[in-house]
Every structure is written in structure tokens, then in C-alpha cells.
Amino acid sequence: MSKGRFGEYGGQYAAETLMFALTELENAYREAQADPTFDLEFKTLLREYAGRPSLLYRAERMSADLGTQVFLKREDLNHTGAHKINNVLGQVLLARRMGKKRVIAETGAGQHGVATATAAALFGLSCDVFMGEEDTRRQALNVYRMELLGAKVHPVTTGTATLKDATSEALREWSRRVSDTYYVVGSVVGPHPYPEIVRDFQRVIGDEIRAEMLDKYNRLPTALFACVGGGSNAIGTFYPFIEDASVRMIGAEAGGEGVETGRHAASLTGGTIGVFHGMKSIFLQDDEGQIAPVYSISAGLDYPGIGPEHAHLHKTGRGEYYAVTDEEAIDAFEYLSRMEGIIPAIESAHAVALLRKMHAEFKPEDMVVVTLSGRGDKDVEAIGRYRGQIV
Amino acid sequence: MNTVNTKVNRIDASFAKLRSEGKKAFIPFITAGDPSIEASYLIAKAMIENGATLVEFGVPYSDPSADGPVIMRADERALANGTRLADVFSLSSRISTEFPFIPVVLLLYFNSIFVYGLEKFFTACEMSGISGVIIPDLPLEERDEARPAADAHGVYLISMVTPVSQERAKRILAQAQGFLYCVASLGVTGERSSYATDFKSYFDSLNEESDIPKCIGFGVSTPEQKKELEAYCDGVIVGSAIVRRIEDCIAEGISEEAIAARLGDFVHEFTEVHI
């Protein structure tokens, strides 16, 4: 088995042109890991620029409503409004260490693109973001934010013009400019070492949850909920708890119009093993490996695969993954807004919805943590449209 | 389990003959099923009759991340008309039977093989007279996954090397079979008017390591480029320039026979074969 395996998943299924860059990246990352100043710099940026640690908010009204103690991990309060900034700050530090002058990124909902544009501005790097044309429409506000931050946004018109196509286009661009360009991958996907690097930069979410639960309540949570597209906020939440068998790790996949309709993006629920975007994992595809056109109201979860570590956690049963429909997510979006005065990203609303569906499994003394990966400002217009209102 | 296949691979025979005659290989690429499997057959036949020494069929894929827009569109057309692996195998079988000295090579993404099943796939390759496969997203590090099944059926895994492979080139050459696919420049497939690569030092260092035939591809689009590049190696691979001409023919709405004739003429410009 090659490098970067999570059980049978993962690996390095990349074009020869990119292998040089992936090796260079891995070497640079290993050096950075061994260098205490790198970690110090990263932690300082997280604290002083991103605003960490994020709150672990005890949601009293929700707790009363659902009959169990609910905590919300407020990644939505980070600078740029989502967990994406954690990973981006780490990777851009790495890019600077490697002497790269230009960063590129793919983006779905635009949160990762905004975070990358932000960090590029902070470090004075040039930045190009690839975004499916369909998503540039769904998330027009984020396109403007990226441009405001000095990034160039390239609408991708190939395929389904969504996240998977933006990812393919970023890979193509990287292979053209491999020597001066750093590709900031936005989730725990792609060829090794990306799934490991992104996880390491996102594990701060779970580390903070763990420390705060132990500190304040002297116990670990009963369960963790997070939404999964590629799975970066989920792996960041779960990873520090993998060895704690008592802690349930529960991922909410994008069920779109319902898994039975075929119009969804729930890879683990409806997918099969394959090799795509540099990794062996679980994908929505046909019997000859053609990647399926997927659908979700959430541009951030609208991806036909999932990170290899999640595929492994799913296979071993350590992680649980269930599909949540658009309708359930929108209900949860409105529910959290009214119940707690917090408007979540539509992606994060999938995790809230899953807890609402499963709440009967938890007792009043249980403590469950839902990671709110991002804030919902970007989604207000689209949800309004879905509900038949022009915002 | 499987016994080692001892048949001589057509690729080896073909390059041995070319070298003995002091000739260079001309390798055209087309996407199988663009605009139809029958058209691909007619085009391949016309290209061979005009001097192609090896034929490369691309297996259409939904997300060809190593390909540029021309081949992406060809893949979309081929998939839209329902092209499946069974069609590619039957196409390969017709060509390899009709032209017993011409090697047929497939270019495809690893997922197409993996999901179909490795053993089933390479069995079908052997049955269809396919001599080798090029898998752009199966680098050195992952080759072992496909090698046993490919070996058992006498199908070569054609390796790719790039100007940035550097110290990897040595290891790639150590396990290369048939011929080495030398990528002319960075990026994805597509035509280029010029190259930044220093071909002399690129091929000098490769030749130092191994005598395996070396062919250059990615961006080669004119007979003049072919002439310039083949001076360094054993042959050239032309893909996007051919596929773009097929696309032009489709836009014109000419018959499949007429497309094949036009592509035969185009290949002729490169091979200067007088029939």
C-alpha cells in the first residue's frame, strides 16, 4: 500500500506532473511539523487573526426542546465566518515557507475561497479561485467578497459547474503552474498528503471541544454532530475523539431531494468505492466509474465523494453517517434562527437537522455537541427564494 | 493463479522494427465513441492506412482532470451517445484483428479500470488485442495495484514522465514497459505553439537511464513540431490537434466516412506516407 492510507482508502492517485509537487509539499510539511516555530506561528494566527478559541455555546432553549444537553461549537464566529479559515491559515503559512508566491483554491459555497483570498491578502500572495458557475450564481455574495479581497474568481463551466468541476479545474491549473503555485485544498480530500494536512489544521475544533468539556464538566461529550461534504469540519471535530469509544461521531450528509430520488450528494449513504480526485474513497458513480451528477441545496456539500478518513471511519463503524434532505436542513436553518438567535450556514443546518431527527436517542443527562461550521448570511437569499420570498 | 504471459507484445515488435528501419513512430489519439464507435473505427483505420504506427484510444470519462477542453468535450460527446467499455473493447478488437501489426493502446483514468474490476478489465484487454494502457492518474507509487493483473494478461502499463519528474525519472524508467510517454510540458492535454522545455537535456538524461523507446506528447499539433521533436526521441503522440479536427468535422455535419477521410489526410501530413 502506498502512502496516506486510511485502511484501504486514501493514497496518491495523481498525475505524474503533480507527484513532484505532492512530494515537495509532504517534505515541507514534515519539516514544518518538526519546527516548533511553525506551530507557534499557526496558533498565534488562530488566536489573534481568526479569533480562536471559538465558543462552545450551551444552547439552553434547544436543550429544553430536544430533551438533551446541546452544545454548539461556534465555528461560525471565526473570522470569515466558517471553519475554513483554520485550514487556510495553516496551508498559507506552509506556502510561504515553501517560497510560493501564488495560491489557488477550489470553492463550493465560497467559504473556502473567501478564507483563501483573506489569507492571501494577509500574506501578500496572489490568489486565483475556481468556482463552479452554478455556485457563482448561488453564492454571488461570496464571489464579490473574494474579489474585494483581491482574488480573481474563475467561473468553471464544465460538467455540472459545481464543486467537483471547480476541483478538477484547480488541479488542471496546478499542473500548469506547479513550480510557483501552491494549491490550498479546502477539505480532507485529494491525494496524500492533503487529507492529513487539512485534518491536522482542522483538529483544533475537536481539541478545543475536548479541553473545554473536560475542564468545565469533567467528562467527554456523548455524541458529536457535524455536516460532511468532503468532511473537513467533521474530521476536525471527530479526530481528537477517535480513541474515545464512548463518544459517538455522527456525520450529516447532503440528502438533497431524498436519497431514493437519486438527486442527492450523500456519498456514504449511496456511493461505492472508487478512485477520483487523487484518492481512493467512496463516490457517487455508475457501474463503470463515471462520476454521477450530484445535487444539494448546499453548494458546500454538493460533492460526489468524501474524504478517505471518513470512508474508513464509516467502514469500521466508528463513525455514523446519515443523509439529511434539503427540506429538513431548511427547517433546521429556520429552527436554529428562531430557537437560539443563530442563523447557521445551510451546510451546518444539516448537522442541526440530524440531531433533531435523532434526539430521542439521547437522555437528559447526555451532552451532545453540534459543530456549526459556518454562518448563514450567505444563504439567506437562496433560502428565501426556496420559501417563495424575494429577499 | 495466473501464468506469466510469454507472447511478444506488439509494442516491442513495432518499435524494434521502426528502429531497425531508422524510422520514428507516429501515434495518433482519438476518444473512442466520438462522434460514434463506428466513426472511431473508420477514423482509426484511415489513420493507420496513412502511416500511424500505433493507435491510442481514449476511454471517455466524466471528469478527465488531466485533459484540456478539447478532449473534455470529446469525452462528453462520447458519453452522451452512450459509449461504454464494451464498445471500446469491440472497437479495439476490430482494429487489432484487421491490422495484426498495429498495437492498440488505451488511455483511461484509473477509476474506469478499478470500478470495472482489474482482472475483468485486463482479461478483456487481452481478448481485444490491446497491447498496453496509459493511466494518467496511476503514478509509480500506485502501480502495484494494477501490475499483477496487467502482467498476467500481457498488457503493458505505459509509464509517463514529465520535465519535473527529476529523480523520480530513474524509478519510472526502471519499471517502464513498451515505450515511455514523455510529457512535453506541464499542464493538461492541449495544443501549444511553443515549449519552454529544454528537450536535449530532458532526453539526454532519460536516455542515460534506459534504452526503452521514448515518445513525446502533450501539445504536439503540427508536422513542423513533430519534425523538431522526433529528432530527440522515437516518436510523437498527437491528441488534441486530431480531436479538434474531428470536432470541426462534426460541426460541419459531414458524414462519418468523410470525417475518416479528412483525418486520414491530416495524419498523412505528419507521416508523409505515399500510398
Side-chain angles (χ1 to χ4, degrees), chain A residues 1-3 5 8 10-20 23 158-159 164-165 168-169 171-173 175-179 272-278 280 283 285-292, chain B residues 59-68 72 76 79 83-86 110-112 114-116 136-142 145 160-162 164-169 172 183 185-188 192 218:
Chain A
M1 281 285 175
S2 65
K3 285 184 189 173
R5 293 284 172 170
E8 69 192 292
Q12 243 173 346
Y13 299 88
E16 178 57 27
T17 308
L18 297 180
M19 288 308 294
F20 166 73
T23 308
T158 52
K164 81 168 165 79
D165 310 291
S168 296
E169 206 50 46
L171 282 168
R172 290 186 186 104
E173 175 61 18
S175 73
R176 278 188 279 268
R177 293 274 300 267
V178 78
S179 43
T272 52
I273 188 167
V275 175
F276 183 51
H277 281 161
K280 184 176 285 181
F283 299 97
Q285 55 185 344
D286 73 9
D287 63 340
E288 289 202 346
Q290 306 289 351
I291 301 302
Chain B
V59 175
Y61 193 53
S62 55
D63 299 82
S65 58
D67 284 299
M72 281 165 77
E76 277 171 24
L79 289 173
T83 304
R84 306 222 345 138
L85 272 169
F110 186 54
N111 204 35
S112 299
F114 180 77
V115 173
Y116 193 77
D137 58 347
L138 196 74
L140 190 62
E141 284 76 358
E142 306 290 354
E145 194 168 342
M160 294 177 117
V161 67
T162 78
V164 291
S165 291
Q166 298 184 0
E167 90 289 347
R168 298 170 51 79
I172 292 169
V183 174
S185 62
L186 300 184
V188 293
R192 289 162 179 69
F218 271 49

Side-chain angles (χ1 to χ4, degrees), chain A residues 97-108:
Chain A
R97 229 183 131 86
M98 293 169 75
K100 305 285 181 183
K101 300 277 181 262
R102 172 180 185 246
V103 293
I104 59 170
E106 84 295 341
T107 197

Side-chain angles (χ1 to χ4, degrees), chain B residues 42-52 98-99 102 264 267-268 271 273-275:
Chain B
L42 294 172
I43 295 166
K45 190 167 145 62
M47 294 192 304
I48 294 165
E49 287 166 353
N50 282 281
E98 202 164 318
F99 300 96
I102 297 291
V267 166
H268 191 96
T271 57
V273 166
H274 302 284
I275 300 168

Side-chain angles (χ1 to χ4, degrees), chain A residues 69-133:
Chain A
Q69 301 176 68
V70 179
F71 294 80
L72 302 176
K73 181 60 174 167
R74 301 288 309 276
E75 293 300 303
D76 59 315
L77 295 177
N78 294 339
H79 179 45
T80 72
H83 70 292
K84 295 291 187 187
I85 192 75
N86 305 329
N87 164 49
V88 164
L89 288 173
Q91 287 200 57
V92 171
L93 272 179
L94 205 50
R96 194 184 59 172
R97 229 183 131 86
M98 293 169 75
K100 305 285 181 183
K101 300 277 181 262
R102 172 180 185 246
V103 293
I104 59 170
E106 84 295 341
T107 197
Q111 292 303 108
H112 174 60
V114 167
T116 306
T118 299
L122 179 65
F123 287 98
L125 304 173
S126 87
C127 177
D128 291 82
V129 178
F130 296 85
M131 187 172 188
E133 194 178 42

Side-chain angles (χ1 to χ4, degrees), chain A residues 232-373:
Chain A
S232 72
N233 90 84
I235 209 76
T237 302
F238 298 168
Y239 186 67
F241 295 93
I242 286 178
E243 303 301 321
D244 303 305
S246 70
V247 181
R248 287 176 69 182
M249 310 190 308
I250 305 170
E253 293 199 288
E257 293 175 1
V259 173
E260 68 290 346
T261 66
R263 287 194 30 93
H264 65 92
S267 316
L268 290 175
T269 307
T272 52
I273 188 167
V275 175
F276 183 51
H277 281 161
M279 59 180 167
K280 184 176 285 181
S281 190
I282 303 293
F283 299 97
L284 294 165
Q285 55 185 344
D286 73 9
D287 63 340
E288 289 202 346
Q290 306 289 351
I291 301 302
V294 295
Y295 165 77
S296 164
I297 190 167
S298 145
L301 304 181
D302 199 351
Y303 183 72
I306 190 159
E309 195 161 10
H310 284 295
H312 181 59
L313 291 173
H314 177 252
K315 186 167 187 181
T316 59
R318 180 65 189 93
E320 304 168 52
Y321 299 84
Y322 306 100
V324 167
T325 64
D326 285 355
E327 189 65 37
E328 290 165 337
I330 289 168
D331 283 347
F333 177 86
E334 294 166 342
Y335 171 86
L336 194 69
S337 301
R338 287 173 197 165
M339 190 66 80
E340 296 287 348
I342 297 168
I343 302 173
I346 188 64
E347 290 76 20
S348 321
H350 283 72
V352 175
L354 188 56
L355 170 60
R356 291 180 78 203
K357 286 170 77 167
M358 295 176 70
H359 75 95
E361 296 181 27
F362 301 99
K363 298 189 279 293
E365 62 273 24
D366 287 344
M367 290 183 168
V368 302
V369 178
V370 181
T371 296
L372 289 189
S373 55

